[in-house]
Amino acid sequence: MKEFYRSTVIQTQTKIRRARVLPKGGEIVVRVGQEVSPIQVVARTTMASDFAIMSAAEKLGVAPAAIGEFLRVEKGAAVEAGAVLASRKRPFGERQVLSPVDGIFFDVVNGRIAVQPTSDWLELRALVAGRVVSYIGNQGVTIETSGSLIQAAWGSGHEGVGRLKVVASTPDTLLTPDHFNGDVTGQVLAVGCLNSVELFHRAEDVGVRGLIVGSASADVCRVSLDSPLPLLVTDGVGSGGMAPPIFELLHQADGRSVSLFGDYKAEAGQRPEIILPQAAALGLDAATVKKVMVPGQLVRILSAGYTGKVGKIKHIYNRLQSTPVGLKTPGVDVELPNGEVLFVPVANLDVIV
Amino acid sequence: MTTEAPQVETYDSFLVADCGSTHTTVVLFDMVGGAYRLIARAAVPTTAHGPWFDVAQGVQQAISRISEITGRKLLSEQGRLIRPVRADGSGVDHFAAVASAAQPLDVLLVGLFDQVSITSARKALRAIYHHEKDHLSLSDQRPPHEQVGAVVQSQPDLILITGGTDGGAENRLLQVVESVGLGVSVMSDSKVPEVIFAGNFRLRERVQAMLGDYANVQMADNVRPSLETEQLDDAVRMITKLYEELKINNLSGVQELRDWSSYPILPTAHAFKGICHYFAALQKQTVLGVDLGSNSVSLVLAEPEQAQVAIHAELGMGYPVSQLLNKSSVDEVRQWVPMEVSAVETADFIFNKSLHPFTVPTTEKMLQLEQAVARTAIRCAMLQTGHELRWPILGEQPTPPPFGLLLARGNTLANAPRPGQIMLMLLDALQPTGIFAIALDRYGVLPALGALAAHQPLAVIQTLEAGVLSDLGWVIAPTGKGQLGKKAMDISIESERISFEGEIEFGKIEIFPIAPGKSAKVTVKPTSRFDIGFGPGQGKKMTLTGGLVGGLVIDARGRPFTLPRDVADRRSLMRKWLWDMGG
């Protein structure tokens, strides 16, 4: 049976290129070939969302179309708080429109002046240690690094970087208050399961830089959306824990720097990623996805009761098979590490690359 | 003397691809024994997004699968479609495609009053897959600089500006448009949005002057030329065109499909609307269409003269399913599960379904949870559509207008192991009324037929006649309330299989078998508290043809029906209904 399949990349010693892009055009502050650290700013732009807007025409008592002749600064000019932006002499004094903030005289639209505060810079950091290999217009750069790459299942939409601290001894260890004993401030904690909103808030309070969990409850996922603390779930929602290959890889990288790429567009098929850079010779290119499922492939099971279990494809059926609920579906037999063999619909498989 | 060569009648073959957000289905239609038939169908994962980013790969794979099934070579060695049919029988004459795999259009709505122009704008937008990112109107309490920020942050593909009756007030709308102008002037660094102005026509030039430097501005007829009048057609036409240009045509890999295609690539929901309209015109009755997709739920109401589609891209059984809990609640989903399931399990299931939308249930509990989610998603779409289109109100909630045929599609429905489960999902979710038949698009071919309907009506009608739809059966569902266990109606049925005369109690679902394809004479006489569509207490004699489930379902649960508050009673009742329906 030839079948495109869903896959999850879990790789070591891989060459990784990632784009870092501003939401709008701005200024690139690094050069191609430059080595960057994770917290280094690579590009910046002004925050466009918080203008100071003044009804200048109304204040001066002129028609919106006539405001041009009363302007005292040009578009794009830097202005300080209190600076006169427009004025009109009257028989009994002068009417003035003053800038309420330090900023840039942005535009005049229909008699209203907009000043963009200069203090609001959006700075884009590299997030991962590596080398700048190209510019992406005036919006960002591509950074190349080498190390390990793990595609996660879900992310809270936030990014982060820190030192990895695996606080679990097994892939299904549940995060408990005890795990916050010792120095966790500034670290990215990795654990099997997280199903307590209270503990998520505790992680925020003690200054944890990020959380990598195998599974988290739906409550925790929902709460994390409103928190700046990045949460990356590697396997799924619930209490299934972490797939052993991911857990082992994280364990090997304990104490190293880890970058959490949690800002992604799920609708576009993107996945959150965990990158563990390793200062070594550049590795192999990331594995390409094969198109054909073959026996021996490592797979993660997504079916209820076996969620997150990892095994190997033992047999691929050429005909549709019946599931216990009466569905007819293409499927394979998967052998688990304990020797158990079970039928899994292809739709419920995730091939580990 | 000249001899005319004998006329050889030729028939074209068709290959149609439906590129959904999780699955791509390709179907082959050709002439067999003098009539068009569905020859083969193949479904594979959609490859529009990562890691493939090429929608054509999935289509090619599905076509290869059809070649394996039929033995007919359809692709060249280079993977290109062989067109037209060659002398050796390889290839196909025409290719067509429909798509719902493209991302929704991000829209910023601008108008004056939420209950007038914004409401009309939302109705127009239901014609496409879209996400409303934000809206600006007079009820917006945000100061101007925050409104500007809202424009920038929403990063819309389209800004739809409505508001003002033709010749009516101008200044208030222009004030809102000013904020839009500032916002798009900032955005134009990175993105030039499209603007459709469908408001007071006297403001067209000023809107063009205010926004034209920073956005592509188009003018549509005012959606509310007067307070009493609503005209959406022009706005809908322009919005649809924009969606096709910005989203479908930019789908990665779509160019290859366009090169193969004999016709424009349609949004799937529009093709589905087309086939619903086709049925409505053919059968001269109202048709309700329900498409429970992975990334959207679409409802179609088709009359013989016109059809309307309402696409809900914020609902669906795939990625958007996690947002279902913004519109509904865990308990509303759980209420449909006939077994013990905790709130945590339910919420976890919903989130996981969002992460892995292609998964199929392998345990009875997962199956029931999935079907509960399906009920909730369809019901949310129905209630929203009902409010927007002002459908009849029963109790305090909208209900679909009376119709004669319900056409249902979507993987969750089509993959349900037993037909009774499908019917029950639809009856629970829509709570429709009257006398109607239900047909299921089990093979996922209706959009393909909808894409062909305008160009190849013969192929469509003959394929449908060959039975590509599953007739699930007939339903009689009265409105009204009564006492549990008391008579709701008298019924008599005469068929080959059954001769029955008796009462139906309020609160029950009863099934009367009619052999598939066989007819039965049915007489129904509701009590004065109940109405099957002809007035309270008015009866009806009819001849019905049997479907898969068992012929005729009498749903005497009343409308709208309420489930018992006691959890054990509710589960017990749900199990009974499921049992009664053979599910």
Side-chain angles (χ1 to χ4, degrees):
Chain A
M1 182 184 58
K2 288 180 182 174
E3 186 80 46
F4 280 146
Y5 51 75
R6 273 86 187 179
S7 61
T8 289
V9 173
I10 305 171
Q11 281 188 313
T12 55
Q13 280 303 299
T14 299
K15 188 195 290 181
I16 304 161
R17 284 187 175 198
R18 286 296 171 267
R20 300 290 293 151
V21 184
L22 291 165
K24 63 188 271 277
E27 184 188 354
I28 310 295
V29 295
V30 288
R31 63 181 193 283
V32 170
Q34 186 177 340
E35 297 287 335
V36 290
S37 74
I39 56 166
Q40 190 166 344
V41 174
V42 293
R44 64 180 193 168
T45 188
T46 47
M47 290 280 279
S49 57
D50 202 16
F51 287 90
I53 297 172
M54 289 133 289
S55 301
E58 194 181 314
K59 185 156 189 189
L60 300 187
V62 299
I67 191 70
E69 62 183 280
F70 300 100
L71 294 179
R72 297 293 170 254
V73 286
E74 290 180 357
K75 263 174 74 171
V79 294
E80 291 180 353
V84 179
L85 303 174
S87 65
R88 182 186 178 199
K89 288 211 167 92
R90 303 295 298 268
F92 304 104
E94 189 179 56
R95 288 189 183 177
Q96 294 181 330
V97 179
L98 307 180
S99 176
V101 292
D102 291 345
I104 292 168
F105 186 105
F106 184 77
D107 208 347
V108 186
V109 177
N110 215 31
R112 295 203 285 178
I113 294 176
V115 174
Q116 190 172 29
T118 43
S119 55
D120 290 343
W121 283 101
L122 174 66
E123 294 183 327
L124 180 71
R125 294 178 192 277
L127 196 61
V128 64
R131 189 168 53 90
V132 177
V133 291
S134 64
Y135 296 138
I136 303 169
N138 66 345
Q139 272 192 267
V141 296
T142 303
I143 297 171
E144 184 176 272
T145 188
S146 65
S148 303
L149 170 68
I150 300 167
Q151 278 185 331
W154 187 85
S156 61
H158 300 285
E159 301 178 329
V161 63
R163 196 154 298 284
L164 177 66
K165 182 166 184 172
V166 182
V167 294
S169 52
T170 63
D172 54 1
T173 301
L174 191 66
L175 187 74
T176 65
D178 292 343
H179 289 125
F180 292 103
N181 296 337
D183 184 18
V184 293
T185 305
Q187 316 253 23
V188 173
L189 303 190
V191 69
C193 311
L194 169 58
N195 58 15
S196 160
V197 170
E198 198 180 320
L199 288 178
F200 179 82
H201 289 315
R202 177 86 179 272
E204 287 176 312
D205 294 342
V206 299
V208 166
R209 287 263 183 86
L211 285 167
I212 301 171
V213 303
S215 61
S217 66
D219 275 356
V220 169
C221 291
R222 260 198 303 270
V223 165
S224 70
L225 292 172
D226 297 323
S227 165
L229 175 65
L231 170 68
L232 266 73
V233 179
T234 59
D235 288 70
V237 178
S239 53
M242 191 177 283
I246 296 176
F247 183 76
E248 282 159 24
L249 206 160
L250 290 174
H251 231 292
Q252 288 163 15
D254 199 11
R256 277 167 42 194
S257 172
V258 59
S259 300
L260 308 179
F261 284 72
D263 186 11
Y264 66 110
K265 233 180 162 179
E267 284 175 293
Q270 295 173 356
R271 304 261 298 264
E273 292 175 329
I274 299 160
I275 294 179
L276 297 148
Q278 195 161 26
L282 285 181
L284 305 168
D285 284 339
T288 50
V289 177
K290 294 170 189 166
K291 293 180 183 174
V292 183
M293 200 169 259
V294 291
Q297 271 173 329
L298 203 60
V299 289
R300 175 164 55 181
I301 300 170
L302 306 173
S303 299
Y306 291 89
T307 309
K309 293 261 188 294
V310 172
K312 281 186 177 168
I313 295 177
K314 189 177 170 68
H315 176 70
I316 300 171
Y317 290 92
N318 284 318
R319 292 171 181 272
L320 301 182
Q321 302 292 304
S322 268
T323 67
V325 296
L327 258 177
K328 287 197 181 299
T329 171
V332 303
D333 282 339
V334 175
E335 184 171 15
L336 298 177
N338 64 5
E340 185 185 355
V341 176
L342 65 147
F343 171 77
V344 184
V346 168
N348 295 359
L349 282 181
D350 183 29
V351 174
I352 292 176
V353 180
Chain B
M1 196 173 113
T2 56
T3 311
E4 277 189 13
Q7 289 253 318
V8 179
E9 212 162 348
T10 58
Y11 298 97
D12 290 344
S13 53
F14 303 92
L15 199 61
V16 189
D18 175 358
C19 306
S21 45
T22 54
H23 290 94
T24 292
T25 306
V26 174
V27 283
L28 174 65
F29 302 102
D30 206 344
M31 189 65 80
V32 176
Y36 275 105
R37 292 285 183 274
L38 167 66
I39 304 296
R41 165 197 179 271
V44 301
T46 289
T47 52
H49 304 304
W52 305 283
F53 298 108
D54 180 1
V55 72
Q57 280 194 40
V59 174
Q60 285 163 327
Q61 201 208 8
I63 294 173
S64 302
R65 187 76 57 83
I66 286 180
S67 289
E68 285 170 21
I69 296 166
T70 60
R72 178 171 173 172
K73 188 177 177 184
L74 294 164
L75 294 172
S76 68
E77 302 306 323
Q78 294 75 35
R80 295 205 182 91
L81 188 68
I82 300 169
R83 250 183 353 125
V85 171
R86 291 180 181 166
D88 62 0
S90 63
V92 67
D93 293 303
H94 296 286
F95 176 82
V98 299
S100 58
Q103 291 199 41
L105 205 64
D106 287 336
V107 181
L108 175 75
L109 265 184
V110 180
L112 279 180
F113 298 103
D114 288 357
Q115 300 303 319
V116 187
S117 48
I118 292 284
T119 299
S120 294
R122 285 192 175 124
K123 279 165 77 174
L125 283 168
R126 286 283 178 219
I128 56 158
Y129 302 90
H130 81 282
H131 283 160
E132 183 184 323
K133 304 298 281 187
D134 207 334
H135 84 272
L136 306 181
S137 68
L138 292 183
S139 65
D140 198 332
Q141 298 296 312
R142 291 173 290 189
H145 72 273
E146 283 187 18
Q147 291 188 349
V148 173
V151 174
V152 179
Q153 279 176 357
S154 62
Q155 290 284 309
D157 300 308
L158 166 67
I159 300 173
L160 176 60
I161 305 176
T162 57
T165 53
D166 280 345
E170 300 178 359
N171 286 344
R172 288 191 293 181
L173 183 62
L174 289 177
Q175 282 169 10
V176 187
V177 175
E178 276 176 23
S179 298
V180 175
L182 265 174
V184 292
S185 69
V186 178
M187 278 177 59
S188 60
D189 276 3
S190 52
K191 183 173 187 174
V192 179
E194 301 290 330
V195 172
I196 293 178
F197 178 71
N200 181 351
F201 78 94
R202 279 169 52 175
L203 299 180
R204 286 181 173 187
E205 281 183 18
R206 292 169 73 181
V207 169
Q208 175 69 47
M210 289 165 78
L211 304 180
D213 288 346
Y214 312 109
N216 303 318
V217 185
Q218 298 182 65
M219 303 296 166
D221 292 345
N222 189 352
V223 293
R224 294 299 284 261
S226 70
L227 279 177
E228 301 76 28
T229 321
E230 185 175 64
Q231 54 175 25
L232 304 178
D233 290 355
D234 198 37
V236 165
R237 181 186 58 77
M238 291 174 79
I239 292 166
T240 304
K241 191 161 167 268
L242 265 183
Y243 172 76
E244 291 173 1
E245 283 171 8
L246 294 180
K247 295 298 173 177
I248 293 186
N249 290 350
N250 281 326
L251 203 55
S252 54
V254 81
Q255 186 55 46
E256 180 138 25
L257 305 186
R258 290 175 70 193
D259 291 346
W260 295 351
S261 187
S262 311
Y263 320 107
I265 297 175
L266 286 179
T268 304
H270 289 210
F272 183 51
K273 180 181 90 169
I275 199 71
C276 289
H277 191 198
Y278 188 82
F279 270 96
L282 199 67
Q283 300 178 352
K284 295 188 171 51
Q285 63 175 347
T286 304
V287 174
L288 180 69
V290 176
D291 183 355
L292 177 60
S294 183
N295 277 10
S296 64
V297 179
S298 302
L299 298 182
V300 176
L301 190 65
E303 309 279 355
E305 303 78 25
Q306 59 169 10
Q308 193 169 13
V309 63
I311 303 173
H312 298 261
E314 74 284 9
L315 293 166
M317 294 299 291
Y319 168 72
V321 76
S322 61
Q323 295 162 43
L324 184 64
L325 299 181
N326 298 337
K327 291 179 168 280
S328 184
S329 68
V330 167
D331 285 342
E332 278 181 83
V333 177
R334 280 169 76 203
Q335 70 177 345
W336 299 114
V337 182
M339 56 189 58
E340 190 174 336
V341 59
S342 70
V344 170
E345 269 180 295
T346 308
D348 287 354
F349 173 83
I350 291 171
F351 261 79
N352 270 325
K353 189 70 189 167
S354 166
L355 297 183
H356 310 296
F358 36 83
T359 52
V360 296
T362 50
T363 65
E364 196 59 32
K365 186 185 269 189
M366 292 300 120
L367 179 70
Q368 293 303 332
L369 266 169
E370 181 155 302
Q371 295 187 358
V373 171
R375 284 173 171 89
T376 313
I378 295 173
R379 183 142 191 84
C380 281
M382 188 281 285
L383 293 174
Q384 187 76 37
T385 304
H387 284 300
E388 289 171 357
L389 300 186
R390 301 191 181 180
W391 283 359
I393 300 292
L394 265 183
E396 291 175 351
Q397 295 183 327
T399 189
F403 55 87
L405 173 65
L406 171 57
L407 283 177
R409 67 179 311 270
N411 272 338
T412 307
L413 296 169
N415 290 339
R418 289 171 288 282
Q421 294 174 344
I422 306 164
M423 284 192 98
L424 204 52
M425 273 190 270
L426 292 166
L427 293 177
D428 290 346
L430 297 167
Q431 300 194 18
T433 61
I435 303 170
F436 54 92
I438 302 182
L440 175 73
D441 181 17
R442 184 170 287 279
Y443 303 109
V445 299
L446 278 183
L449 292 172
L452 290 181
H455 314 286
Q456 302 292 338
L458 182 69
V460 173
I461 198 162
Q462 291 184 343
T463 307
L464 287 169
E465 279 171 356
V468 289
L469 295 181
S470 300
D471 292 325
L472 298 183
W474 286 89
V475 177
I476 298 178
T479 59
K481 290 269 179 195
Q483 271 187 298
L484 283 177
K486 297 282 184 186
K487 184 169 89 170
M489 65 177 75
D490 290 307
I491 186 166
S492 75
I493 299 178
E494 289 291 336
S495 74
E496 270 183 23
R497 272 196 193 181
I498 188 172
S499 176
F500 175 86
E501 197 166 330
E503 293 178 357
I504 305 289
E505 293 174 5
F506 175 70
K508 286 198 165 175
I509 295 179
E510 299 274 4
I511 296 192
F512 297 97
I514 306 172
K518 302 290 180 186
S519 59
K521 289 181 178 165
V522 178
T523 306
V524 192
K525 177 81 172 73
T527 64
S528 59
R529 285 169 173 251
F530 294 91
D531 183 354
I532 56 170
F534 306 96
Q538 297 300 308
K540 176 79 176 169
K541 282 185 181 176
M542 62 205 112
T543 301
L544 304 178
T545 307
L548 282 182
V549 171
L552 172 63
V553 175
I554 308 287
D555 182 355
R557 297 178 293 177
R559 294 289 187 267
F561 65 79
T562 46
L563 297 170
R565 285 190 176 178
D566 180 82
V567 176
D569 289 352
R570 189 172 66 228
R571 284 186 194 137
S572 165
L573 192 59
M574 291 293 300
R575 276 197 296 273
K576 183 178 184 327
W577 288 342
L578 206 52
W579 179 262
D580 288 344
M581 293 289 289

